[in-house]
Amino acid sequence: MRFTCPAECSTQAPNVAVSRQEAGNYCRSPAISTVRMNLTSPHAFWLIRNGVGEVPPPLSRDRRCDIAVIGAGITGALIADALTAQGLSVIVIDRRHPAHGSTSASTALLQYEIDLHLSDLIDKLGRERAVDAYQACLQGVRTIGRLAGELAQDVSFRRRPSLYYASRSRDVKALHGEGAARRRAKLPCEVLDANELGRLVDFDAPVALWSNVGGEVDPWRLTYALLARCATRDFALYGRTNALGIVPTKTGLEVHTERGRVRAKHVIVAAGYEAERFLPRRVADLHSSFALITEPVKAFDGWSERCLVWESARPYLYLRTTSDNRVLVGGEDIPFRHPAHRDARVPSKADTLIDRARRLFPRIEMDPAYGWAGTFGETKHGLAYIGACPGGDARVHFALGYGGNGIAYSAIAADVLTAAVLYQPHRYRDTFAFDR
C-alpha cells in the first residue's frame, strides 16, 4: 500500500463505528473512548524536514459559515481551497495542528494507478465505474500538478513517470492483461519487456508497465500552501479544536466542539481514518505501513528519470525520490493492532526496506536517515468514499481517500463535493459513492 494518507485525522477512536442516536444525529456516543489515536511513529519525516509550522488558534466562540470542514490535513486543505475559490465561506477545524496527523507521515506518491488492477475492478464494479475511477485518479494527479504551479510557495512537486514491475513470475500474465485493459480505457500505459526494462533500471523483471503521468510532492508543504491561499479569502482555521459531533438544526447543521459551535449549511468530514466515528458502519480495514528515507544521495545511477517504482506482489514495495535527493522507500504492511505494536516493528521493518532498496539499485549508495510508521485504511475495492452516507443527513459529506491514491482521491473529492454543495452535477459523483 502506497502510504499516501487521505486526510488529517481530527477526531477520535476509529476502531468503533458510532451509530446515530437519532435520525440525522451524528453526535459521539458517550460510551466511545476519547483517547486520541496515535497515527504515526514519533518521527515522521515531513515534520522533521519542515518543523511545526504556523500554529492556528483554537476556536474561542461560536462561528457561522457556509461550509464547515473537519480536518486540516491535505484533504481538508484541498477541499477548503476549492470551496473558497467559489466564493463560499469556510471554517476548518482540527484537533491537532494542520498536517500533524497522517499527512505528516504520508509518502505522497502521485499515481493514477489504483491498488486493484483495472481489469479486476471491471470484474467487480463493471466497466463504466471502474474506468471512471481510473480516469478520475488521472485527473486528480494532474490537478495536484496544476495547483503546485499556481501556489506561491514551493511544495516540492516534481513530475515523475511510474514503473510497475512484475516481482513474481506468476504475475506476468496479469500485467499483460492489465496493460491491455488500460490501453482500451485510453489510459497512459506502455508494456515493457525485460530488455526494455533493463535499459531504464538496474533490476530485472520479466515485464513492467510504464506510465508517463505521475509525481511526487511534499504533502506538509502542499497543505500549508493551500491553507495560506485560503486565508486570502472568506476563511478561518482553528487548531486544537476537537469535533465532538454534528447535529442538525432547523436552519442547518452545528459542529459541536469543547470550545464552541460552528454553524454551517453543509459539513464535510475530511478526518481520514478517524472519520468512521461519524458513520453507522466501518467502511475500511486498518493496516500499519512502514517507511524509510535515506540521507541525500550523490547520484541516481540505474534509476531512469527517478521514476516512481512499485511491485506486483502484495503487500508491495514502493520507492520514490525527494527534491533534496533522498530515496524514500515504503511497504512491509501488516494488519493494525495497536500503535505500540506498530512502532516496535519500525527498526526491523526499516532494515528490511533498505536492504530491498539496495538490491534494486546497487549502484546508489543509500544511508538510512529516518524510519517511521503510520496507519492507513483499505477498502474492498481500493476506492475512496466521497459523498453523503445513505440514510444519513444529505448535508453531511465525507471525503475518505482510503488506499494508495489518497492525495489524488482528495483532489477528486474537492471537486466532487464543491459541486455537491452548489447542487451541481459532477461526472464522478456516483463513482466513489457509498452504494457499493
Side-chain angles (χ1 to χ4, degrees):
M1 180 65 59
R2 297 186 294 281
F3 188 22
T4 49
C5 48
E8 198 69 4
C9 299
S10 317
T11 56
Q12 301 164 341
N15 294 326
V16 185
V18 182
S19 298
R20 294 186 300 278
Q21 296 172 351
E22 301 176 284
N25 189 335
Y26 288 79
C27 283
R28 178 178 58 84
S29 166
I32 299 304
S33 168
T34 58
V35 176
R36 181 177 65 186
M37 182 180 182
N38 178 3
L39 293 164
T40 68
S41 294
H43 303 295
F45 173 69
W46 305 116
L47 285 179
I48 294 173
R49 182 187 190 191
N50 297 304
V52 174
E54 185 175 350
V55 177
L59 184 69
S60 59
R61 60 182 176 87
D62 291 354
R63 293 292 308 273
R64 186 180 298 275
C65 61
D66 292 324
I67 316 294
V69 178
I70 301 173
I74 185 59
T75 304
L78 284 162
I79 290 169
D81 182 66
L83 293 169
T84 54
Q86 294 297 316
L88 296 166
S89 61
V90 176
I91 292 176
V92 174
I93 64 171
D94 197 300
R95 73 184 321 276
R96 301 177 177 88
H97 301 317
H100 274 234
S102 297
T103 297
S104 67
S106 171
T107 50
L109 282 75
L110 305 175
Q111 297 171 284
Y112 79 79
E113 298 96 327
I114 296 170
D115 289 340
L116 191 66
H117 286 176
L118 173 60
S119 52
D120 295 329
L121 198 60
I122 289 172
D123 292 339
K124 292 179 180 294
L125 296 178
R127 178 174 178 77
E128 181 178 2
R129 193 170 192 174
V131 171
D132 275 354
Y134 265 74
Q135 291 285 1
C137 286
L138 181 63
Q139 178 181 312
V141 172
R142 288 170 171 164
T143 295
I144 297 300
R146 174 181 59 79
L147 290 171
E150 295 174 357
L151 295 167
Q153 297 92 335
D154 177 18
V155 298
S156 298
F157 173 79
R158 303 290 186 274
R159 300 186 189 279
R160 303 290 187 203
S162 173
L163 178 66
Y164 179 47
Y165 69 97
S167 56
R168 304 175 299 190
S169 59
R170 67 176 182 266
D171 296 331
V172 171
K173 182 179 179 180
L175 260 68
H176 278 290
E178 178 64 8
R182 293 185 190 178
R183 287 196 300 271
R184 285 193 296 270
K186 301 188 184 323
L187 293 163
C189 179
E190 180 182 356
V191 179
L192 306 179
D193 62 25
N195 291 330
E196 292 168 321
L197 178 65
R199 291 193 286 269
L200 296 175
V201 293
D202 272 353
F203 59 87
D204 298 323
V207 66
L209 304 183
W210 176 271
S211 165
N212 60 6
V213 180
E216 59 193 34
V217 73
D218 181 328
W220 188 98
R221 292 184 180 181
L222 179 58
T223 299
Y224 271 84
L226 289 164
L227 293 174
R229 182 159 74 172
C230 289
T232 66
R233 303 164 180 165
D234 195 348
F235 173 78
L237 171 64
Y238 299 103
R240 293 168 287 160
T241 302
N242 183 33
L244 301 175
I246 306 167
V247 179
T249 68
K250 292 181 180 180
T251 58
L253 297 167
E254 289 183 350
V255 179
H256 290 193
T257 80
E258 74 276 19
R259 299 178 181 273
R261 302 178 181 185
V262 179
R263 297 181 174 92
K265 299 173 184 176
H266 294 262
V267 174
I268 296 176
V269 181
Y273 315 124
E274 293 175 322
E276 291 192 358
R277 60 191 293 269
F278 293 105
L279 291 167
R281 61 180 177 88
R282 176 174 291 176
V283 296
D285 295 324
L286 296 183
H287 299 265
S288 295
S289 190
F290 301 85
L292 175 138
I293 198 158
T294 69
E295 300 291 355
V297 304
K298 295 179 180 179
F300 291 90
D301 295 332
W303 192 340
S304 180
E305 300 184 55
R306 293 166 59 166
C307 58
L308 311 178
V309 177
W310 58 304
E311 66 167 337
S312 61
R314 297 293 188 271
Y316 54 76
L317 180 79
Y318 58 89
L319 300 93
R320 57 161 282 194
T321 63
T322 66
S323 60
D324 58 345
N325 297 323
R326 300 173 188 264
V327 176
L328 196 164
V329 53
E332 291 294 309
D333 306 344
I334 58 175
F336 175 79
R337 287 175 50 191
H338 188 275
H341 175 264
R342 176 198 66 199
D343 294 351
R345 304 291 296 275
V346 170
S348 62
K349 292 290 188 179
D351 286 344
T352 300
L353 290 172
I354 193 65
D355 286 345
R356 295 185 67 186
R358 286 168 173 162
R359 288 199 298 270
L360 288 177
F361 297 105
R363 287 191 285 162
I364 302 176
E365 295 184 11
M366 301 185 197
D367 294 323
Y370 305 106
W372 70 95
T375 300
F376 70 89
E378 184 177 31
T379 64
K380 181 170 63 173
H381 302 115
L383 301 187
Y385 284 101
I386 301 171
C389 182
D393 194 311
R395 299 164 299 177
V396 178
H397 313 267
F398 292 85
L400 308 178
Y402 296 143
N405 302 70
I407 295 178
Y409 283 148
S410 297
I412 300 162
D415 201 24
V416 171
L417 296 181
T418 297
V421 301
L422 293 173
Y423 300 99
Q424 296 174 349
H426 194 282
R427 174 183 174 183
Y428 301 124
R429 183 192 65 183
D430 297 330
T431 306
F432 302 100
F434 281 81
D435 65 344
R436 64 177 188 271

